[in-house]
Amino acid sequence: MEVRVLYLDIDDEITTAAARVRGAEGTRVAMVLPYGSRVATSRINFRLLARDATLNGKRLSIVAGDAATRALAASAGLPIFASVAEYESSVAEERG
């Protein structure tokens, strides 16, 4: 299972984020959001990302250092991680 990590800029909009998830190679995609990210302003944004990812055969996870961002993403049903290392460790454990 190929894993892809996408890094967003603080000013990236939800449409940019969704397009990057759709265009990512592989099925597992982690999106890294910086503090103050525009995408992280609403639970609806995370719901849209989750739905779009599912419709496109992707397993989306959110990586964010900000606890509020992780809480919003979790409320939309997305797996959350505090760091890329934590995400990669989870993937490695899953692979066995």
Side-chain angles (χ1 to χ4, degrees), residues 72-90:
L72 281 174
S75 73
L78 289 167
I80 56 167
F81 300 92
S83 67
V84 173
E86 183 183 342
Y87 170 73
E88 289 173 342
S89 176
S90 172

